[in-house]
Amino acid sequence: MKVILPAVVICFSLIPACSAVLPLVINTWPFKDATAKAWSTLHSGGSVLDAVEKGCTQCEIQQCDGSVGYGGSPDETGETTLDAMIMNGDTMEVGAVGDLRRIKNAIGVARTVMERSKHTFLVGESASVFAENMGFSAEDLSTNQSRNIFSKWLNENCQPNFRQRVSPDPTKSCGPYKPSATLLEQRRRDQTIDIHGHDTIGMIVINQAGQVAAGTSTNGARHKVPGRVGDSPIAGAGAYADSTVGGAAATGDGDIMMRFLPSYLAVEQMRAGIDPSTACRTAITRIKKYFPGFFGAIVCANTTGSYGAACNKLPEFSKFPFMVFNKNSNGPIKETVDCI
Ligand SMILES: *[C@@H]1O[C@H](CO)[C@@H](O)[C@H](O)[C@H]1NC(C)=O
Ligand SMILES: *[C@@H]1O[C@H](CO)[C@@H](O)[C@H](O)[C@H]1NC(C)=O
């Protein structure tokens, strides 16, 4: 990591709030326009929350990797639904939406939940109605691309899907499904997982004053069972921010990752004095112990601007790319970490 040690040391000893490597924007995957947008938002006087919101919104507009925003990851009925969250590390306020329909700017709605209600997490159709009432426009989130993904899936007998122990045999057919006592032999998820269907944007922004915000936005898992909400909008799972420590943001197989609150775990590790890279690795190792074949990665940063990342090594996934923009960079820099 590019830390200029002498400068940092002098800086720390004289002025506690000063750092050679703040501000910092770090996000999952090589979504560089999102990084640049967050940076320019900070640069033009925006708060860390503004930066996270604008950065993730940029990905929603660009449909980053088809995994963020409208027109991606159609569910079993062909609809695209969105999950997002934002967290204020100063106040520990969180706003989140899950299974959001018809509204493109999911992280904008998440922030509106945080700032215009006393709630933390709204889901489904009701979240969409809330968003519409708050002035977000309702649009069809389907595109030719999502319609094509959906019809191809139907033509392939709805393979792969997330069903198990139901009839007819979900490894061969489309629904409607009913519970089955006979189909106990479940298809191994690891064999059919599409690692490109999980490229959530997770972002941490820390400003010069050490204020931390984090957020996520995703359209979830392709061909998910309607109603499925992943890890991204769950505080401590998809992302976590605490301005006394730092932040973390995760991406990957949310159905598994949410059980371990990896972002919370990484922040707690850093709180205990662990460096960001090791904190990230600890969060991945914890999941790996139970699910060696899970697909996932995490980025971590502390309030002095040190950062790291980690990912679970799979045959088809050995390096995880992420973006960094800090005081030492002239633009968004793509870095990669070797998976463990
Ligand atoms: C989507 O497909 C329809 C029908 O094939 C076509 O008329 C339309 O131009 C396409 N839209 C885009 C944005 O490609
Ligand atoms: C952040 O991590 C770096 C690298 O381990 C460490 O030197 C620094 O003291 C940490 N900052 C805080 C506030 O813990």
Side-chain angles (χ1 to χ4, degrees):
M1 304 299 141
K2 292 187 279 310
V3 179
I4 301 170
L5 279 173
V8 172
V9 171
I10 293 162
C11 210
F12 285 169
S13 58
L14 298 181
I15 318 162
C18 158
S19 166
V21 286
L22 291 177
L24 169 70
V25 175
I26 179 169
N27 61 264
T28 56
W29 304 111
F31 301 150
K32 68 174 175 22
D33 295 343
T35 324
K37 186 70 184 181
W39 184 266
S40 67
T41 302
L42 268 190
H43 198 72
S44 56
S47 67
V48 286
L49 287 171
D50 295 335
V52 167
E53 182 188 349
K54 299 296 177 218
C56 292
T57 297
Q58 183 67 30
C59 248
E60 292 172 348
I61 293 167
Q62 291 180 325
Q63 305 167 281
C64 286
D65 267 7
S67 298
V68 184
Y70 69 100
S73 306
D75 69 13
E76 281 186 350
T77 68
E79 185 172 6
T80 294
T81 63
L82 308 178
D83 297 344
M85 69 90 85
I86 190 163
M87 181 162 187
N88 180 339
D90 279 1
T91 63
M92 307 309 279
E93 290 171 296
V94 173
V97 285
D99 189 25
L100 182 73
R101 292 147 190 271
R102 303 191 301 278
I103 314 287
K104 287 184 174 173
N105 185 202
I107 194 157
V109 180
R111 187 165 180 189
T112 304
V113 170
M114 179 170 78
E115 296 183 341
R116 301 282 176 256
S117 83
K118 291 181 182 171
H119 297 307
T120 294
F121 196 173
L122 296 183
V123 300
E125 180 58 28
S126 308
S128 310
V129 171
F130 168 82
E132 285 167 37
N133 289 343
M134 295 308 292
F136 289 84
S137 50
E139 295 169 77
D140 185 356
L141 300 188
S142 299
T143 59
N144 283 358
Q145 199 199 353
S146 68
R147 279 185 282 268
N148 288 341
I149 294 168
F150 181 58
S151 58
K152 182 166 175 283
W153 181 72
L154 288 178
N155 288 337
E156 289 168 1
N157 286 321
C158 308
Q159 302 306 309
N161 63 59
F162 287 92
R163 303 283 181 158
Q164 58 184 357
R165 295 173 198 170
V166 291
S167 113
D169 183 352
T171 65
K172 298 194 179 80
S173 346
C174 294
Y177 301 105
K178 290 194 298 227
S180 159
T182 53
L183 289 167
L184 288 174
E185 206 50 50
Q186 74 176 70
R187 171 179 48 83
R188 281 192 59 79
R189 298 233 355 238
D190 302 10
Q191 290 166 3
T192 53
I193 199 158
D194 172 11
I195 68 165
H196 301 294
H198 297 267
D199 299 357
T200 300
I201 183 163
M203 177 180 277
I204 308 159
V205 175
I206 309 178
N207 67 9
Q208 191 71 50
Q211 294 175 297
V212 184
T216 61
S217 184
T218 182
N219 53 33
R222 196 178 275 193
H223 314 308
K224 63 196 169 198
V225 177
R228 183 266 191 187
V229 172
D231 60 327
S232 302
I234 297 172
Y240 203 66
D242 181 335
S243 296
T244 67
V245 179
T251 177
D253 184 349
D255 290 305
I256 287 173
M257 295 177 77
M258 70 162 82
R259 305 167 191 171
F260 297 87
L261 298 179
S263 295
Y264 180 74
L265 177 57
V267 168
E268 291 311 299
Q269 292 284 304
M270 292 189 283
R271 193 193 305 279
I274 308 290
D275 68 277
S277 296
T278 307
C280 271
R281 282 201 291 271
T282 298
I284 293 295
T285 304
R286 180 73 60 87
I287 306 171
K288 201 180 170 75
K289 189 173 151 196
Y290 296 88
F291 298 96
F294 90 101
F295 165 66
I298 184 168
V299 292
C300 303
N302 74 16
T303 50
T304 43
S306 282
Y307 58 87
C311 46
N312 187 32
K313 188 170 184 174
L314 298 175
E316 66 278 31
F317 184 64
S318 60
K319 285 175 190 297
F320 168 59
F322 59 99
M323 296 304 307
V324 177
F325 200 151
N326 67 19
K327 204 173 174 180
N328 294 340
S329 11
N330 291 319
I333 309 283
K334 178 180 154 184
E335 296 199 18
T336 55
V337 65
D338 290 327
C339 297
I340 53 172

